[in-house]
Amino acid sequence: MATAANPFFGRFSWRWAGPPGQDTVFDAENRHEIRAIWREVCAGYRLTRRVVPDDGPRAFPHIGQIELGPPTRFTVRLRPGQLADDIADLIPRLAAAYEVDDVRVSQPGRGWALVELIEHRSPTLTIIDGAPPPDPGAPWGQAG
Protein backbone atom coordinates (compact mmCIF):
# COMPACT_ATOMS: atom_id res chain seq x y z
CA MET A 1 0.00 0.00 0.00
CA ALA A 2 1.52 3.30 -1.05
CA THR A 3 0.99 5.75 1.78
CA ALA A 4 3.01 8.63 3.08
CA ALA A 5 4.45 7.49 6.41
CA ASN A 6 5.93 9.88 8.94
CA PRO A 7 9.60 8.90 9.34
CA PHE A 8 9.92 10.65 12.70
CA PHE A 9 7.26 8.66 14.51
CA GLY A 10 7.18 5.42 12.55
CA ARG A 11 3.37 5.62 12.34
CA PHE A 12 1.01 7.12 9.85
CA SER A 13 1.26 10.86 10.26
CA TRP A 14 -2.47 11.68 10.11
CA ARG A 15 -2.72 10.38 13.67
CA TRP A 16 -0.38 13.17 14.78
CA ALA A 17 -2.58 15.97 13.51
CA GLY A 18 -2.87 17.70 16.87
CA PRO A 19 -5.87 19.33 18.52
CA PRO A 20 -8.72 20.56 16.32
CA GLY A 21 -8.49 24.12 15.12
CA GLN A 22 -4.69 24.25 15.17
CA ASP A 23 -2.85 23.85 11.90
CA THR A 24 0.26 21.69 11.93
CA VAL A 25 2.93 21.09 9.33
CA PHE A 26 1.49 17.64 8.62
CA ASP A 27 -2.02 18.79 7.58
CA ALA A 28 -1.48 18.66 3.81
CA GLU A 29 0.35 15.33 4.08
CA ASN A 30 -2.39 13.92 6.32
CA ARG A 31 -5.15 14.86 3.91
CA HIS A 32 -3.16 13.40 1.01
CA GLU A 33 -2.67 10.15 2.91
CA ILE A 34 -6.38 9.86 3.76
CA ARG A 35 -7.25 10.36 0.08
CA ALA A 36 -4.59 7.86 -1.08
CA ILE A 37 -5.85 5.13 1.26
CA TRP A 38 -9.45 5.87 0.22
CA ARG A 39 -8.59 5.45 -3.47
CA GLU A 40 -6.85 2.13 -2.80
CA VAL A 41 -9.80 0.76 -0.83
CA CYS A 42 -12.29 1.94 -3.48
CA ALA A 43 -10.27 0.37 -6.29
CA GLY A 44 -9.90 -2.92 -4.45
CA TYR A 45 -13.54 -3.33 -3.40
CA ARG A 46 -15.52 -2.13 -6.42
CA LEU A 47 -16.67 1.29 -5.29
CA THR A 48 -15.41 2.64 -8.61
CA ARG A 49 -16.69 2.42 -12.13
CA ARG A 50 -14.82 2.48 -15.41
CA VAL A 51 -15.17 5.49 -17.66
CA VAL A 52 -15.88 4.71 -21.32
CA PRO A 53 -13.99 3.01 -22.97
CA ASP A 54 -13.81 -0.01 -20.69
CA ASP A 55 -10.08 0.31 -20.17
CA GLY A 56 -10.37 4.03 -19.31
CA PRO A 57 -9.64 5.61 -15.94
CA ARG A 58 -11.66 4.78 -12.85
CA ALA A 59 -14.24 7.17 -11.36
CA PHE A 60 -13.88 7.17 -7.56
CA PRO A 61 -16.33 8.43 -4.94
CA HIS A 62 -14.83 11.88 -4.28
CA ILE A 63 -13.70 12.93 -0.80
CA GLY A 64 -15.03 16.38 0.01
CA GLN A 65 -14.13 17.95 3.33
CA ILE A 66 -11.63 16.35 5.73
CA GLU A 67 -11.68 17.15 9.44
CA LEU A 68 -8.46 15.91 11.07
CA GLY A 69 -10.06 15.19 14.38
CA PRO A 70 -10.10 13.71 16.87
CA PRO A 71 -12.02 11.83 15.59
CA THR A 72 -10.89 12.13 11.99
CA ARG A 73 -13.87 12.38 9.66
CA PHE A 74 -14.44 13.10 6.01
CA THR A 75 -17.36 13.46 3.63
CA VAL A 76 -17.67 11.40 0.47
CA ARG A 77 -19.61 12.45 -2.63
CA LEU A 78 -21.23 9.20 -3.73
CA ARG A 79 -21.30 8.08 -7.36
CA PRO A 80 -24.72 7.86 -9.03
CA GLY A 81 -26.54 4.79 -7.73
CA GLN A 82 -24.40 4.38 -4.60
CA LEU A 83 -25.65 4.54 -1.02
CA ALA A 84 -23.86 5.03 2.28
CA ASP A 85 -24.69 1.35 2.93
CA ASP A 86 -22.27 0.40 0.13
CA ILE A 87 -19.48 2.05 2.14
CA ALA A 88 -20.82 0.66 5.43
CA ASP A 89 -20.39 -2.87 4.01
CA LEU A 90 -16.64 -2.19 3.97
CA ILE A 91 -16.29 -1.03 7.61
CA PRO A 92 -13.91 -3.85 8.69
CA ARG A 93 -11.74 -3.26 5.61
CA LEU A 94 -11.70 0.51 6.12
CA ALA A 95 -10.73 0.06 9.78
CA ALA A 96 -7.85 -2.18 8.76
CA ALA A 97 -6.71 0.15 5.97
CA TYR A 98 -6.73 3.25 8.19
CA GLU A 99 -5.41 1.29 11.22
CA VAL A 100 -8.19 2.42 13.55
CA ASP A 101 -10.42 0.52 15.95
CA ASP A 102 -13.77 1.45 14.45
CA VAL A 103 -15.34 3.26 11.50
CA ARG A 104 -18.79 4.85 11.48
CA VAL A 105 -20.61 5.65 8.25
CA SER A 106 -23.72 7.82 8.08
CA GLN A 107 -25.62 9.61 5.36
CA PRO A 108 -26.05 13.30 6.32
CA GLY A 109 -27.60 14.24 2.99
CA ARG A 110 -28.66 12.85 -0.34
CA GLY A 111 -25.63 11.80 -2.37
CA TRP A 112 -23.18 12.23 0.53
CA ALA A 113 -21.72 9.92 3.15
CA LEU A 114 -19.87 10.84 6.35
CA VAL A 115 -17.03 8.50 7.31
CA GLU A 116 -15.70 8.79 10.88
CA LEU A 117 -12.46 7.05 11.93
CA ILE A 118 -12.56 6.19 15.63
CA GLU A 119 -9.48 5.25 17.58
CA HIS A 120 -10.11 4.18 21.16
CA ARG A 121 -7.67 5.49 23.70
CA SER A 122 -5.78 3.06 25.89
CA PRO A 123 -6.95 2.98 29.50
CA THR A 124 -5.09 5.24 31.90
CA LEU A 125 -3.31 4.04 35.03
CA THR A 126 -5.58 4.18 38.08
CA ILE A 127 -4.03 4.24 41.55
CA ILE A 128 -6.13 2.31 44.06
CA ASP A 129 -5.84 2.87 47.83
CA GLY A 130 -2.98 5.33 47.38
CA ALA A 131 -0.49 2.60 46.38
CA PRO A 132 2.24 3.88 44.06
CA PRO A 133 2.52 2.38 40.58
CA PRO A 134 5.06 -0.43 40.14
CA ASP A 135 8.63 0.54 39.28
CA PRO A 136 9.28 -0.29 35.62
CA GLY A 137 12.93 -1.03 36.38
CA ALA A 138 12.20 -3.55 39.15
CA PRO A 139 12.53 -7.29 38.38
CA TRP A 140 9.35 -9.27 37.80
CA GLY A 141 7.45 -10.03 40.96
CA GLN A 142 8.99 -7.20 42.99
CA ALA A 143 6.85 -4.10 43.28
CA GLY A 144 7.80 -0.68 44.58
Short mmCIF file of all heavy atoms in Angstrom, two decimals, residues 54-80:
data_model
loop_
_atom_site.label_atom_id
_atom_site.label_comp_id
_atom_site.label_asym_id
_atom_site.label_seq_id
_atom_site.Cartn_x
_atom_site.Cartn_y
_atom_site.Cartn_z
N ASP A 54 -13.92 0.87 -21.85
CA ASP A 54 -13.81 -0.01 -20.69
C ASP A 54 -12.44 -0.01 -20.03
O ASP A 54 -12.33 -0.33 -18.85
CB ASP A 54 -14.19 -1.44 -21.07
CG ASP A 54 -15.68 -1.56 -21.32
OD1 ASP A 54 -16.42 -0.69 -20.84
OD2 ASP A 54 -16.08 -2.51 -22.01
N ASP A 55 -11.41 0.30 -20.77
CA ASP A 55 -10.08 0.31 -20.17
C ASP A 55 -9.68 1.74 -19.76
O ASP A 55 -8.53 2.01 -19.50
CB ASP A 55 -9.04 -0.28 -21.12
CG ASP A 55 -8.94 0.49 -22.43
OD1 ASP A 55 -9.86 1.28 -22.71
OD2 ASP A 55 -7.96 0.29 -23.15
N GLY A 56 -10.64 2.64 -19.69
CA GLY A 56 -10.37 4.03 -19.31
C GLY A 56 -10.11 4.17 -17.82
O GLY A 56 -10.08 3.18 -17.07
N PRO A 57 -9.93 5.39 -17.36
CA PRO A 57 -9.64 5.61 -15.94
C PRO A 57 -10.85 5.28 -15.06
O PRO A 57 -11.98 5.21 -15.55
CB PRO A 57 -9.30 7.09 -15.87
CG PRO A 57 -9.98 7.69 -17.05
CD PRO A 57 -9.97 6.63 -18.11
N ARG A 58 -10.59 5.09 -13.79
CA ARG A 58 -11.66 4.78 -12.85
C ARG A 58 -12.26 6.08 -12.29
O ARG A 58 -11.55 7.04 -12.09
CB ARG A 58 -11.13 3.95 -11.69
CG ARG A 58 -10.71 2.57 -12.08
CD ARG A 58 -10.25 1.82 -10.84
NE ARG A 58 -9.81 0.49 -11.18
CZ ARG A 58 -10.60 -0.57 -11.17
NH1 ARG A 58 -11.85 -0.46 -10.84
NH2 ARG A 58 -10.13 -1.75 -11.48
N ALA A 59 -13.56 6.06 -12.01
CA ALA A 59 -14.24 7.17 -11.36
C ALA A 59 -14.47 6.78 -9.90
O ALA A 59 -15.20 5.84 -9.61
CB ALA A 59 -15.57 7.46 -12.06
N PHE A 60 -13.81 7.48 -8.98
CA PHE A 60 -13.88 7.17 -7.56
C PHE A 60 -14.93 8.03 -6.88
O PHE A 60 -15.18 9.15 -7.31
CB PHE A 60 -12.53 7.47 -6.89
CG PHE A 60 -11.42 6.57 -7.32
CD1 PHE A 60 -10.64 6.89 -8.41
CD2 PHE A 60 -11.16 5.40 -6.64
CE1 PHE A 60 -9.61 6.06 -8.81
CE2 PHE A 60 -10.14 4.57 -7.02
CZ PHE A 60 -9.37 4.89 -8.11
N PRO A 61 -15.53 7.54 -5.78
CA PRO A 61 -16.33 8.43 -4.94
C PRO A 61 -15.39 9.51 -4.38
O PRO A 61 -14.35 9.20 -3.81
CB PRO A 61 -16.86 7.53 -3.83
CG PRO A 61 -16.75 6.15 -4.37
CD PRO A 61 -15.59 6.16 -5.32
N HIS A 62 -15.72 10.76 -4.59
CA HIS A 62 -14.83 11.88 -4.28
C HIS A 62 -14.91 12.25 -2.81
O HIS A 62 -16.00 12.38 -2.24
CB HIS A 62 -15.22 13.08 -5.14
CG HIS A 62 -14.43 14.30 -4.87
ND1 HIS A 62 -13.11 14.43 -5.24
CD2 HIS A 62 -14.76 15.45 -4.24
CE1 HIS A 62 -12.67 15.61 -4.86
NE2 HIS A 62 -13.66 16.25 -4.25
N ILE A 63 -13.75 12.44 -2.18
CA ILE A 63 -13.70 12.93 -0.80
C ILE A 63 -13.85 14.44 -0.84
O ILE A 63 -13.13 15.13 -1.56
CB ILE A 63 -12.38 12.54 -0.11
CG1 ILE A 63 -12.36 11.05 0.17
CG2 ILE A 63 -12.22 13.30 1.20
CD1 ILE A 63 -11.15 10.58 0.93
N GLY A 64 -14.79 14.94 -0.06
CA GLY A 64 -15.03 16.38 0.01
C GLY A 64 -14.18 17.01 1.10
O GLY A 64 -12.99 17.21 0.95
N GLN A 65 -14.79 17.27 2.22
CA GLN A 65 -14.13 17.95 3.33
C GLN A 65 -13.53 16.93 4.29
O GLN A 65 -14.14 15.92 4.61
CB GLN A 65 -15.15 18.81 4.07
CG GLN A 65 -14.57 19.65 5.17
CD GLN A 65 -15.64 20.52 5.80
OE1 GLN A 65 -16.81 20.38 5.52
NE2 GLN A 65 -15.21 21.41 6.67
N ILE A 66 -12.30 17.22 4.76
CA ILE A 66 -11.63 16.35 5.73
C ILE A 66 -11.42 17.13 7.01
O ILE A 66 -10.86 18.22 7.00
CB ILE A 66 -10.28 15.85 5.19
CG1 ILE A 66 -10.47 15.02 3.93
CG2 ILE A 66 -9.55 15.04 6.26
CD1 ILE A 66 -9.18 14.60 3.28
N GLU A 67 -11.88 16.56 8.12
CA GLU A 67 -11.68 17.15 9.44
C GLU A 67 -10.71 16.23 10.18
O GLU A 67 -11.01 15.05 10.41
CB GLU A 67 -13.03 17.20 10.16
CG GLU A 67 -13.06 18.06 11.37
CD GLU A 67 -14.47 18.08 11.95
OE1 GLU A 67 -15.41 18.36 11.19
OE2 GLU A 67 -14.58 17.80 13.16
N LEU A 68 -9.54 16.76 10.55
CA LEU A 68 -8.46 15.91 11.07
C LEU A 68 -8.63 15.50 12.53
O LEU A 68 -7.75 14.89 13.09
CB LEU A 68 -7.11 16.59 10.86
CG LEU A 68 -6.68 16.67 9.40
CD1 LEU A 68 -5.39 17.44 9.27
CD2 LEU A 68 -6.55 15.31 8.79
N GLY A 69 -9.70 15.84 13.14
CA GLY A 69 -10.06 15.19 14.38
C GLY A 69 -9.57 15.80 15.65
O GLY A 69 -9.21 16.94 15.64
N PRO A 70 -9.53 15.05 16.71
CA PRO A 70 -10.10 13.71 16.87
C PRO A 70 -11.61 13.78 17.03
O PRO A 70 -12.06 14.73 17.65
CB PRO A 70 -9.43 13.16 18.11
CG PRO A 70 -8.96 14.33 18.88
CD PRO A 70 -8.81 15.46 17.92
N PRO A 71 -12.38 12.88 16.54
CA PRO A 71 -12.02 11.83 15.59
C PRO A 71 -11.87 12.40 14.18
O PRO A 71 -12.49 13.40 13.85
CB PRO A 71 -13.19 10.86 15.66
CG PRO A 71 -14.36 11.72 15.99
CD PRO A 71 -13.81 12.81 16.89
N THR A 72 -11.07 11.74 13.38
CA THR A 72 -10.89 12.13 11.99
C THR A 72 -12.15 11.74 11.22
O THR A 72 -12.63 10.63 11.34
CB THR A 72 -9.67 11.42 11.39
OG1 THR A 72 -8.52 11.79 12.15
CG2 THR A 72 -9.47 11.81 9.94
N ARG A 73 -12.67 12.68 10.45
CA ARG A 73 -13.87 12.38 9.66
C ARG A 73 -13.77 13.09 8.32
O ARG A 73 -13.11 14.11 8.19
CB ARG A 73 -15.14 12.76 10.40
CG ARG A 73 -15.20 14.18 10.86
CD ARG A 73 -16.51 14.48 11.55
NE ARG A 73 -16.48 14.02 12.91
CZ ARG A 73 -17.11 14.57 13.90
NH1 ARG A 73 -17.85 15.62 13.70
NH2 ARG A 73 -17.03 14.08 15.10
N PHE A 74 -14.43 12.49 7.34
CA PHE A 74 -14.44 13.10 6.01
C PHE A 74 -15.75 12.76 5.31
O PHE A 74 -16.40 11.77 5.60
CB PHE A 74 -13.23 12.66 5.16
CG PHE A 74 -13.04 11.19 5.01
CD1 PHE A 74 -13.62 10.50 3.95
CD2 PHE A 74 -12.27 10.48 5.91
CE1 PHE A 74 -13.44 9.13 3.80
CE2 PHE A 74 -12.07 9.12 5.77
CZ PHE A 74 -12.66 8.44 4.71
N THR A 75 -16.15 13.67 4.40
CA THR A 75 -17.36 13.46 3.63
C THR A 75 -16.99 12.87 2.27
O THR A 75 -15.92 13.14 1.74
CB THR A 75 -18.13 14.77 3.43
OG1 THR A 75 -17.28 15.71 2.80
CG2 THR A 75 -18.63 15.32 4.74
N VAL A 76 -17.89 12.06 1.75
CA VAL A 76 -17.67 11.40 0.47
C VAL A 76 -18.86 11.70 -0.43
O VAL A 76 -20.01 11.47 -0.05
CB VAL A 76 -17.53 9.87 0.65
CG1 VAL A 76 -17.40 9.17 -0.69
CG2 VAL A 76 -16.36 9.54 1.55
N ARG A 77 -18.57 12.23 -1.61
CA ARG A 77 -19.61 12.45 -2.63
C ARG A 77 -19.80 11.12 -3.35
O ARG A 77 -18.90 10.61 -4.02
CB ARG A 77 -19.17 13.53 -3.61
CG ARG A 77 -20.16 13.78 -4.70
CD ARG A 77 -21.34 14.51 -4.16
NE ARG A 77 -22.20 14.94 -5.25
CZ ARG A 77 -23.49 15.12 -5.10
NH1 ARG A 77 -24.06 14.94 -3.93
NH2 ARG A 77 -24.21 15.52 -6.11
N LEU A 78 -20.97 10.52 -3.18
CA LEU A 78 -21.23 9.20 -3.73
C LEU A 78 -21.44 9.27 -5.24
O LEU A 78 -21.92 10.27 -5.76
CB LEU A 78 -22.46 8.59 -3.05
CG LEU A 78 -22.35 8.40 -1.54
CD1 LEU A 78 -23.69 7.98 -0.97
CD2 LEU A 78 -21.28 7.39 -1.21
N ARG A 79 -21.06 8.21 -5.92
CA ARG A 79 -21.30 8.08 -7.36
C ARG A 79 -22.79 7.84 -7.58
O ARG A 79 -23.48 7.37 -6.67
CB ARG A 79 -20.50 6.90 -7.93
CG ARG A 79 -19.02 6.94 -7.69
CD ARG A 79 -18.27 7.99 -8.46
NE ARG A 79 -18.66 8.01 -9.86
CZ ARG A 79 -18.60 9.10 -10.62
NH1 ARG A 79 -18.18 10.23 -10.12
NH2 ARG A 79 -18.96 9.04 -11.87
N PRO A 80 -23.31 8.13 -8.76
CA PRO A 80 -24.72 7.86 -9.03
C PRO A 80 -25.06 6.39 -8.78
O PRO A 80 -24.37 5.49 -9.26
CB PRO A 80 -24.88 8.23 -10.50
CG PRO A 80 -23.80 9.22 -10.76
CD PRO A 80 -22.65 8.80 -9.89
#
